[in-house]
Amino acid sequence: MIRSELARLQRLFRHVVKRDAEREPPSHFFTPEETGRLHRITGDVRTALDEQTWHDLLLPAYEEQLAQGTSIFGRQVLHRHLRAGLDDAGCAALGERLRGLLADPARLDALNLALRPLRYAETEVAGLLFEGEAPPAPAWAGFIWVLPLLLVMSLGLLVTQPLGWIATLAAVAPLMALQIGYHRRLELWKNTLDSLNALLAGSHTLAQLGGPLLAPFVEERAAAARLHKRLGRPLLLRMIPGGEAYMNWFAAYNIRRYWKTIRTVYGARDFLRPFYLRSAELEADVALARHLRRQQHWCWAERSAARTLDLQGGVHPLMEMPVPLSVSLDGQGAFISGQNASGKSTFLRMVGLNLVAARAFGFCYAQQARLPAVPVRASMQNEDSLLGGESLYMSELRRARELLDASGEPAGICLVDEVFRGTNHLESVSAAAAVLESLCERDLVLVSSHNLVLARILAGKLEPYRIDTASGRPVLLPGVLRDPNGIALLATQGFGERIEGRAAEVACWLSAHLAESEEKQPPALSCA
């Protein structure tokens, strides 16, 4: 009888383990605050991408593309790489690891499968592992065991004494109060423990794979297994339907386990921190290798000097049918002009994303690239803010002030799209010329604008380029746009001959008026 019962329990145990191993991990949603926690704790703010640059370059969508099928741990490392970048040694080491994974698809698939337990984590733990101290346990926490003992004793009175129910009620009341008072805290901690156990669960399979890359997991296998067991829930309680709930309500099991596991986790943080980083970085490597395996347009990027940029056949990875564009700058920035809808903003975003990817991972989306590993700052999506009480021009001024304050600390690359749209033409050109000239003194600047006179004013600081679409495909060529299409587009939107003709008439008059003073040189600007 006993033997058959033990056999049944063994079969049930194997079934539970097999079920957990084969079950597809759920897809959890993580907020930007959770994904960025590791970066905010350990990243370098001076060289990190700021919030506006992050959104102007559409990096949240790019990050999501990279992190498909990746746990919160790998996502946090990918985010930190993108925001803060890697130094030369770190980038070279990452490149070597990625080359090894790409050269061995079978091992890449095996690692991807071994890392699958990490995706069960539904709570980030970087804040727990790197910040704060353990919360002090209340004085009564060491005497919780008394409550279930009193409950058992009260049950005897309930059977033998007419008013024994009063004693039972008195014993049950504090147990119920603990469950109600700790409910939210227990739920959050349960999710945290589940995430830590998901992190530790992958160590066994990773250790079995072996190899130099996984040597630390082999060495830590036994310690990880012991900690996993201490933080996990007893199998017996998991197998008995409702067993854990009864233990919680009538024996305060979860309260005692809460304070016990808090001591365990904080006591093991010196072990957990490097273990977390190794696991998360390995998963980030696997995610990047999987991503590159799906890409058609990419190359390893060489690192260049701060004011040198050479991108040949660059594309944007978020575009379904990208058109490769090339740009080469040495010392001077670029003034980009082009017809409406020619792709000026897309070009700036393409350059910006490739700069970020090269600094973060050592590769970019081009045929060939030499790019500097410097901070990237963008001003591309300034808008009116009704709730913030900020007009378009004021938001542009605020962003320009931020770029001026940040530039040179250290020197970087500024990407500016349609500078100062929120005011009249004269003041827009004047303010833009002054700000851009100051930025050019310290940073490599790429700016797009419909104010073509800026190219003349900033000659010597910004090389003029235009995006030409005459062939049906955009091409970046030297020079300033000569045939704007703003008035021509009126016809495509059905404004009618009267409006189109009048617009052309006014444009002709303005062109003649401006041509009268074209021989005059623009005044020399001083930013003193």
Side-chain angles (χ1 to χ4, degrees), residues 330-343:
D330 188 5
Q332 289 191 355
F335 179 89
I336 313 295
S337 58
Q339 294 184 338
N340 291 282
S342 61

PDB file of all heavy atoms in Angstrom, residues 330-343:
ATOM      1  N   ASP A 330      33.273  64.332 -42.710  1.00  0.00           N
ATOM      2  CA  ASP A 330      34.578  64.365 -42.054  1.00  0.00           C
ATOM      3  C   ASP A 330      34.837  65.781 -41.548  1.00  0.00           C
ATOM      4  O   ASP A 330      35.262  66.658 -42.302  1.00  0.00           O
ATOM      5  CB  ASP A 330      35.672  63.941 -43.025  1.00  0.00           C
ATOM      6  CG  ASP A 330      37.025  63.771 -42.344  1.00  0.00           C
ATOM      7  OD1 ASP A 330      37.079  63.890 -41.102  1.00  0.00           O
ATOM      8  OD2 ASP A 330      38.014  63.535 -43.050  1.00  0.00           O
ATOM      9  N   GLY A 331      34.534  66.010 -40.294  1.00  0.00           N
ATOM     10  CA  GLY A 331      34.781  67.311 -39.698  1.00  0.00           C
ATOM     11  C   GLY A 331      33.587  68.235 -39.735  1.00  0.00           C
ATOM     12  O   GLY A 331      33.283  68.919 -38.753  1.00  0.00           O
ATOM     13  N   GLN A 332      32.899  68.317 -40.866  1.00  0.00           N
ATOM     14  CA  GLN A 332      31.734  69.175 -41.005  1.00  0.00           C
ATOM     15  C   GLN A 332      30.453  68.369 -40.998  1.00  0.00           C
ATOM     16  O   GLN A 332      30.417  67.222 -41.455  1.00  0.00           O
ATOM     17  CB  GLN A 332      31.808  69.991 -42.298  1.00  0.00           C
ATOM     18  CG  GLN A 332      32.856  71.084 -42.281  1.00  0.00           C
ATOM     19  CD  GLN A 332      32.716  72.025 -43.467  1.00  0.00           C
ATOM     20  OE1 GLN A 332      31.897  71.808 -44.340  1.00  0.00           O
ATOM     21  NE2 GLN A 332      33.523  73.072 -43.488  1.00  0.00           N
ATOM     22  N   GLY A 333      29.377  69.000 -40.502  1.00  0.00           N
ATOM     23  CA  GLY A 333      28.073  68.369 -40.512  1.00  0.00           C
ATOM     24  C   GLY A 333      27.404  68.490 -41.873  1.00  0.00           C
ATOM     25  O   GLY A 333      28.062  68.769 -42.883  1.00  0.00           O
ATOM     26  N   ALA A 334      26.076  68.300 -41.874  1.00  0.00           N
ATOM     27  CA  ALA A 334      25.352  68.279 -43.141  1.00  0.00           C
ATOM     28  C   ALA A 334      24.047  69.053 -43.029  1.00  0.00           C
ATOM     29  O   ALA A 334      23.336  68.942 -42.020  1.00  0.00           O
ATOM     30  CB  ALA A 334      25.069  66.842 -43.567  1.00  0.00           C
ATOM     31  N   PHE A 335      23.753  69.831 -44.074  1.00  0.00           N
ATOM     32  CA  PHE A 335      22.451  70.477 -44.220  1.00  0.00           C
ATOM     33  C   PHE A 335      21.686  69.708 -45.280  1.00  0.00           C
ATOM     34  O   PHE A 335      22.108  69.636 -46.443  1.00  0.00           O
ATOM     35  CB  PHE A 335      22.619  71.943 -44.632  1.00  0.00           C
ATOM     36  CG  PHE A 335      21.308  72.662 -44.816  1.00  0.00           C
ATOM     37  CD1 PHE A 335      20.707  73.301 -43.750  1.00  0.00           C
ATOM     38  CD2 PHE A 335      20.676  72.669 -46.055  1.00  0.00           C
ATOM     39  CE1 PHE A 335      19.481  73.949 -43.910  1.00  0.00           C
ATOM     40  CE2 PHE A 335      19.455  73.309 -46.221  1.00  0.00           C
ATOM     41  CZ  PHE A 335      18.851  73.956 -45.149  1.00  0.00           C
ATOM     42  N   ILE A 336      20.560  69.083 -44.880  1.00  0.00           N
ATOM     43  CA  ILE A 336      19.803  68.207 -45.775  1.00  0.00           C
ATOM     44  C   ILE A 336      18.559  68.943 -46.260  1.00  0.00           C
ATOM     45  O   ILE A 336      17.733  69.385 -45.453  1.00  0.00           O
ATOM     46  CB  ILE A 336      19.369  66.902 -45.064  1.00  0.00           C
ATOM     47  CG1 ILE A 336      20.547  66.289 -44.309  1.00  0.00           C
ATOM     48  CG2 ILE A 336      18.765  65.933 -46.063  1.00  0.00           C
ATOM     49  CD1 ILE A 336      21.670  65.833 -45.177  1.00  0.00           C
ATOM     50  N   SER A 337      18.435  69.100 -47.563  1.00  0.00           N
ATOM     51  CA  SER A 337      17.220  69.667 -48.151  1.00  0.00           C
ATOM     52  C   SER A 337      16.577  68.624 -49.056  1.00  0.00           C
ATOM     53  O   SER A 337      17.193  67.624 -49.417  1.00  0.00           O
ATOM     54  CB  SER A 337      17.540  70.944 -48.930  1.00  0.00           C
ATOM     55  OG  SER A 337      18.491  70.686 -49.950  1.00  0.00           O
ATOM     56  N   GLY A 338      15.358  68.879 -49.421  1.00  0.00           N
ATOM     57  CA  GLY A 338      14.632  67.939 -50.275  1.00  0.00           C
ATOM     58  C   GLY A 338      13.186  68.340 -50.385  1.00  0.00           C
ATOM     59  O   GLY A 338      12.677  69.131 -49.582  1.00  0.00           O
ATOM     60  N   GLN A 339      12.537  67.826 -51.394  1.00  0.00           N
ATOM     61  CA  GLN A 339      11.124  68.124 -51.580  1.00  0.00           C
ATOM     62  C   GLN A 339      10.304  67.546 -50.435  1.00  0.00           C
ATOM     63  O   GLN A 339      10.767  66.692 -49.673  1.00  0.00           O
ATOM     64  CB  GLN A 339      10.636  67.555 -52.912  1.00  0.00           C
ATOM     65  CG  GLN A 339      11.263  68.217 -54.126  1.00  0.00           C
ATOM     66  CD  GLN A 339      10.693  67.687 -55.419  1.00  0.00           C
ATOM     67  OE1 GLN A 339      10.148  66.577 -55.464  1.00  0.00           O
ATOM     68  NE2 GLN A 339      10.805  68.468 -56.486  1.00  0.00           N
ATOM     69  N   ASN A 340       9.059  68.022 -50.292  1.00  0.00           N
ATOM     70  CA  ASN A 340       8.161  67.459 -49.296  1.00  0.00           C
ATOM     71  C   ASN A 340       7.978  65.968 -49.548  1.00  0.00           C
ATOM     72  O   ASN A 340       7.819  65.537 -50.702  1.00  0.00           O
ATOM     73  CB  ASN A 340       6.800  68.154 -49.362  1.00  0.00           C
ATOM     74  CG  ASN A 340       6.875  69.591 -48.879  1.00  0.00           C
ATOM     75  OD1 ASN A 340       6.912  69.858 -47.688  1.00  0.00           O
ATOM     76  ND2 ASN A 340       6.919  70.522 -49.839  1.00  0.00           N
ATOM     77  N   ALA A 341       7.978  65.178 -48.486  1.00  0.00           N
ATOM     78  CA  ALA A 341       7.784  63.722 -48.561  1.00  0.00           C
ATOM     79  C   ALA A 341       8.921  63.011 -49.283  1.00  0.00           C
ATOM     80  O   ALA A 341       8.748  61.893 -49.771  1.00  0.00           O
ATOM     81  CB  ALA A 341       6.447  63.376 -49.226  1.00  0.00           C
ATOM     82  N   SER A 342      10.095  63.647 -49.370  1.00  0.00           N
ATOM     83  CA  SER A 342      11.232  62.999 -50.035  1.00  0.00           C
ATOM     84  C   SER A 342      11.990  62.059 -49.107  1.00  0.00           C
ATOM     85  O   SER A 342      12.799  61.258 -49.570  1.00  0.00           O
ATOM     86  CB  SER A 342      12.192  64.069 -50.589  1.00  0.00           C
ATOM     87  OG  SER A 342      12.700  64.868 -49.528  1.00  0.00           O
ATOM     88  N   GLY A 343      11.742  62.178 -47.801  1.00  0.00           N
ATOM     89  CA  GLY A 343      12.379  61.255 -46.870  1.00  0.00           C
ATOM     90  C   GLY A 343      13.478  61.863 -46.022  1.00  0.00           C
ATOM     91  O   GLY A 343      14.345  61.142 -45.532  1.00  0.00           O
TER      92      GLY A 343
END
